[in-house]
Amino acid sequence: MATRTFPFSTLINKQTSVFPALDDADVILERRDAENLVLMRSERFDAMVKGLGLAARSLAIVARANRALAEEVFAEELPWLVWLPPEARPTCTAELLDHLLAGAETGLLLPFARALREWQSTAEVYSDPELARRLRGPFDTADAAEPDRPGSADD
C-alpha cells in the first residue's frame, strides 16, 4: 500500500491537501514533538485488521499442529532467534504467537510489538557472550546503596 507523508501542520492549515491523498494512499502525519499519526480510510483499516486476524489465526493453527514448523517460520522472519538459547526459542515463539493472535482479535497490537522488541533485545544480549555472562551475575553489591522508597518518611 502506498503512503504519503505530510507535516501535521498541513492537516491543520490545508486539509484540502491531505484528505484527497487518502483516495489511494494512507497518510502519515509527521509531528515534531510527538509520535507520527497515520490516517487511513476505514475500509483499508478493516481489511488490514481482517487480514492480520486471518494470518495470525492460521499461523496459530499451524503452530498447534506442528510447533517445529512454526518455529521454522518465525526463524525465517526473525533471524535473531538463533541468538536465543535453544531452550528459550519455543517460549519466545509461543509468547509471540499468543500476543499476535490476541492482538489480531482485539486490534491491540502494542503488546505484541513490546514482546517482539523485548525478545529481540534479549537475543541481542545473548549474541554477546561476555555481556550475557555479566548480566547473569554474580553481582558485586559491596558499594550498592538501597534507594529510598516512594512515600517513605524521608520524602
Side-chain angles (χ1 to χ4, degrees):
M1 166 49 56
T3 59
R4 300 264 322 266
T5 303
F6 294 91
F8 184 77
S9 59
T10 304
L11 176 66
I12 304 299
N13 300 323
K14 300 181 222 167
Q15 295 173 7
T16 55
S17 308
V18 175
F19 290 122
L22 289 168
D23 288 341
D24 58 354
D26 296 335
V27 171
I28 298 173
L29 298 172
E30 293 180 328
R31 301 191 303 170
R32 277 187 238 136
D33 299 329
E35 275 190 73
N36 292 344
L37 300 175
V38 176
L39 292 177
M40 65 174 50
R41 291 190 176 272
S42 64
E43 179 183 39
R44 284 197 298 266
F45 176 78
D46 291 341
M48 181 182 67
V49 169
K50 285 178 183 167
L52 176 61
L54 175 64
R57 287 187 300 277
S58 299
L59 187 54
I61 290 167
V62 169
R64 280 192 295 272
N66 188 337
R67 182 62 63 168
L69 178 60
E71 288 179 28
E72 185 179 322
V73 168
F74 264 59
E76 178 93 15
E77 288 299 312
L78 306 171
W80 48 261
L81 282 175
V82 300
W83 293 331
L84 289 174
E87 63 275 8
R89 292 176 199 158
T91 304
C92 172
T93 302
E95 186 177 318
L96 291 176
L97 284 170
D98 290 346
H99 280 297
L100 184 60
L101 183 58
E105 288 297 316
T106 63
L108 301 173
L109 291 167
L110 286 177
F112 169 75
R114 273 193 301 271
L116 184 63
R117 191 171 49 250
E118 289 164 2
W119 275 109
Q120 183 173 352
S121 295
T122 301
E124 289 170 1
V125 167
Y126 278 106
S127 76
D128 181 343
E130 176 58 21
L131 178 59
R133 186 196 62 72
R134 287 191 358 242
L135 290 174
R136 275 198 282 287
F139 302 104
D140 180 10
T141 58
D143 295 328
E146 184 71 28
D148 293 332
R149 298 201 177 267
S152 67
D154 297 336
D155 285 347

